[in-house]
Amino acid sequence: MTRIALIHALRHSPPPIEAAFAELWPEAQLTNLLDDSLSADLAAAGALDERMTDRFLTLGRYAASLGSEAILFTCSAFGPCIEAVRADLAPLPVRSPYEAMIAEACAIGGRIGLVASFAPTLETMPADFPPGVEIEPIYVEGALLALNAGDLDRHDDLVASALKGRRFDAVALAQYSLARAAPRVAAAMDAPVLTTPGAAVRELRRALLAPG
């Protein structure tokens, strides 16, 4: 059985990635590590720093010590910290939350609507798209507050409403916490709707179970 370590910075992230594994790779053995102070501290500081990178390195090394065959981060605003973990633990497969979704979006091409409810995500993720890809960042104000308050319908409505009247070749929901809104977004858009959990599980399964 393949053991995958999942590292989260939001308490809303485990359910969508666990649901994606249950649908797409139920045989995988999952280990969840959650530190929701990471996102709170980033929001307060306003920028990533060396101390935050050190915290990620500590989490990554602990996850590796559990005998994990891969590590998947689900926290979308910490790209440079995740890259530091990838370099530190090579050749262990370490995945960012959204690299697989970016690959799927680029395969579709055209104009991509990149949706986030946590503002720092839109400060780091666009740089990970290849040059020349047309991206429109869309920040959904109030959606994360609604999710934190347990108002799931309002969360999903805010996300879908933020896309109303817009035309894209694909919509990329940048955070794991946004995946729950995918059906409502798909109903409102005439375009493929990509989620980070689904793309990540598909890519990891291919990479780890590939022959040879």
Side-chain angles (χ1 to χ4, degrees):
M1 185 175 292
T2 306
R3 171 175 282 190
I4 311 293
L6 307 173
I7 301 181
H8 315 283
L10 284 173
R11 58 187 173 88
H12 306 296
S13 298
I17 187 61
E18 290 177 339
F21 269 102
E23 177 185 356
L24 300 169
W25 193 4
E27 301 83 8
Q29 180 184 1
L30 306 180
T31 298
N32 288 283
L33 303 177
L34 168 64
D35 181 356
D36 58 4
S37 71
L38 294 168
S39 54
D41 291 347
L42 175 57
L48 298 172
D49 56 19
E50 186 176 348
R51 183 169 178 271
M52 184 65 76
T53 299
D54 287 342
R55 291 168 68 180
F56 269 73
L57 288 169
T58 298
L59 284 166
R61 290 165 184 167
Y62 176 71
S65 76
L66 302 176
S68 304
E69 294 173 62
I71 297 173
L72 173 62
F73 286 90
T74 69
C75 31
S76 59
F78 300 87
C81 300
I82 295 168
E83 289 306 313
V85 176
R86 197 197 304 264
D88 182 66
L89 296 179
L92 182 72
V94 174
R95 298 294 194 264
S96 77
Y98 48 77
E99 60 188 279
M101 185 189 69
I102 288 176
E104 289 188 356
C106 291
I108 294 170
R111 188 161 170 262
I112 311 297
L114 183 64
V115 185
S117 60
F118 185 55
T121 297
L122 296 178
E123 296 170 9
T124 58
M125 189 187 296
D128 288 335
F129 280 80
V133 177
E134 185 180 357
I135 304 164
E136 182 176 334
I138 301 167
Y139 172 59
V140 187
E141 187 171 0
L144 189 55
L145 289 175
L147 196 61
N148 288 338
D151 194 343
L152 307 184
D153 281 340
R154 176 165 172 75
H155 170 269
D156 297 354
D157 281 342
L158 286 169
V159 176
S161 296
L163 291 159
K164 188 176 181 180
R166 300 173 186 259
R167 289 191 169 275
F168 299 107
D169 294 288
V171 174
L173 302 180
Q175 297 156 224
Y176 281 58
S177 59
L178 288 169
R180 59 157 294 105
R184 202 162 300 184
V185 173
M189 301 291 296
D190 185 21
V193 178
L194 308 177
T195 69
T196 40
V201 174
R202 284 189 289 271
E203 188 280 329
L204 264 180
R205 191 177 191 277
R206 286 194 301 268
L208 296 182
L209 298 185

